[in-house]
Amino acid sequence: MAKTAIIEAFGGPEQFKLVDRPVGDPGPGEIRIRHEALGLNFIDVYQRTGLYPNALPLALGMEAAGVVTEVGDGVAHLKAGDRAAYAAGPPGAYTEERVMPAAQVCPLPDAISFEEGAAMMLKGMTVVYLFERTVPLKAGDWVLFHAAAGGVGLIACQWARAKGIHLIGTAGSDEKCALAKEHGAEHVINYRSEDFEARVKEITDQRGVDVVMDSVGKDTFEGSLKCLRPLGTMISFGNASGPVPPFELGRLGALGSLKITRPTLFTHIAKHEDCQAMAQELFAMVTSGKVKIRVDQRFALDQVAEAHRALEARKTVGGTVLLP
């Protein structure tokens, strides 16, 4: 049996219940993994509220690190005793131990701690697909990155610095702006006290940026479009402030023949070989020291509701982990 955080109805953090669930044995293509640390992400909030619906009752969580305790038939890249980490479906990472598909579980280098592994897989591989797979970015390009002091944002700031990309980061306080600057943002904007659209134009001599990376959604979408240069690309990859409302497609032409995409990590890692390759890119950046993974908040598994409240209230910076 394993202690597991579940919900039986969609709603607020108060919906969480901690229950004992049987773990079971891995079947073909599966592993059993004992978790040492669990990742906390906004996708967990979307699933808890029902914005991203799943069948109930639902064990939440998409990211964790731990030790493989058993492998099923056909699993060749992992064995019992291996350190491993993942950001993958199905949900169910908020537990002490689980059985799950093995294809998207990745061997974790010894140089990376379990807490770092749990805080970096979803956020770090998101940065990999944003910078390396969605748009062909190169040194000298300009990127506007919203929520630059969050878990994804601080990795993105470091990634941009390592690649020679000019990153303008936004955040909701002077302290968070300073944190983003410390991690590699070339320019920072406090969107609560400054007009980010006007500042981006000022910073870029009215040219605009090549790419906007926006996980905030509703509150920043319109301004983000106006920050793009002609032929620029809007990457909308989250909805922290709520989903983007419908808009007239023709506006993209009027604003300069803009492009827009709404990618997800889980499309990018759907193939085993792609997932493992992306993880290796991430591990290489972390073990080289070019990207450091911050774990700024830790909660026990039975404090999961409190952790969700902190995340939704924008009271977290860097990575947050749950400890089973």
Side-chain angles (χ1 to χ4, degrees):
M1 305 293 283
K3 284 189 170 51
T4 305
I6 69 165
I7 59 169
E8 296 177 331
F10 299 121
E14 71 280 356
Q15 295 295 338
F16 278 112
K17 295 182 178 180
L18 207 61
V19 300
D20 288 319
R21 277 189 160 187
V23 178
D25 298 315
E30 294 182 329
I31 63 158
R32 187 171 66 219
I33 182 169
R34 184 185 70 249
H35 290 151
E36 299 290 339
L38 323 171
L40 180 73
N41 298 282
F42 251 102
I43 190 172
D44 307 344
V45 174
Y46 304 152
Q47 292 176 348
R48 192 202 72 223
T49 61
L51 178 64
Y52 294 177
N54 288 274
L56 296 169
L58 175 65
L60 287 178
M62 303 292 289
E63 178 181 42
V67 177
V68 176
T69 54
E70 189 177 347
V71 302
D73 291 342
V75 177
H77 70 293
L78 293 165
K79 65 183 184 303
D82 281 353
R83 304 170 81 254
Y86 65 86
Y94 289 3
T95 186
E96 295 173 318
E97 192 169 10
R98 71 182 294 198
V99 169
M100 65 180 296
Q104 279 70 43
V105 181
C106 305
L108 184 67
D110 291 340
I112 299 174
S113 73
F114 289 121
E115 287 192 5
E116 290 169 330
M120 70 185 277
M121 295 299 290
L122 192 146
K123 303 168 191 69
M125 289 200 293
T126 294
V127 171
V128 172
Y129 85 67
L130 289 173
F131 281 83
E132 307 297 336
R133 284 164 168 70
T134 305
V135 179
L137 285 164
K138 62 186 184 302
D141 285 345
W142 285 85
V143 168
L144 172 63
F145 198 102
H146 291 297
V152 178
L154 291 182
I155 297 173
C157 289
Q158 296 174 83
W159 203 280
R161 178 170 59 190
K163 295 284 187 173
I165 293 165
H166 306 289
L167 187 142
I168 304 170
T170 73
S173 71
D174 289 343
E175 293 76 15
K176 288 187 174 183
C177 283
L179 191 62
K181 190 80 179 282
E182 175 189 332
H183 282 73
E186 191 166 317
H187 302 271
V188 290
I189 301 168
N190 183 339
Y191 63 79
R192 296 191 191 279
S193 60
E194 300 178 272
D195 179 338
F196 76 81
E197 180 189 340
R199 282 285 291 125
V200 167
K201 291 296 179 64
E202 179 185 335
I203 290 166
T204 62
D205 294 326
Q206 305 304 311
R207 175 181 176 271
V209 296
D210 300 287
V211 176
V212 176
M213 299 178 181
D214 189 343
S215 64
V216 176
K218 177 173 64 70
D219 290 354
T220 51
F221 182 76
E222 285 294 328
S224 293
L225 288 178
K226 294 172 184 175
C227 289
L228 285 164
R229 64 160 175 80
L231 304 177
T233 300
M234 169 74 159
I235 307 175
S236 176
F237 69 102
N239 327 276
S241 67
V244 174
F247 75 102
E248 173 53 49
L249 194 62
R251 293 190 58 234
L252 297 178
L255 288 169
S257 300
L258 304 180
K259 300 178 282 292
I260 186 166
T261 182
R262 198 345 181 154
T264 71
L265 172 63
F266 302 105
T267 306
H268 282 276
I269 65 171
K271 294 180 180 178
H272 167 73
E273 56 271 24
D274 292 340
C275 178
Q276 301 296 321
M278 289 173 64
Q280 289 304 315
E281 286 183 71
L282 175 61
F283 295 154
M285 287 289 269
V286 172
T287 55
S288 74
K290 293 177 181 176
V291 170
K292 298 185 187 305
I293 304 301
R294 292 179 60 117
V295 179
D296 289 271
Q297 297 82 210
R298 295 169 178 83
F299 295 86
L301 181 57
D302 60 8
Q303 297 175 304
V304 61
E306 182 183 338
H308 271 236
R309 291 187 185 100
L311 182 65
E312 290 181 275
R314 313 281 177 89
K315 292 181 178 177
T316 64
V317 296
T320 303
V321 296
L322 302 171
L323 301 175

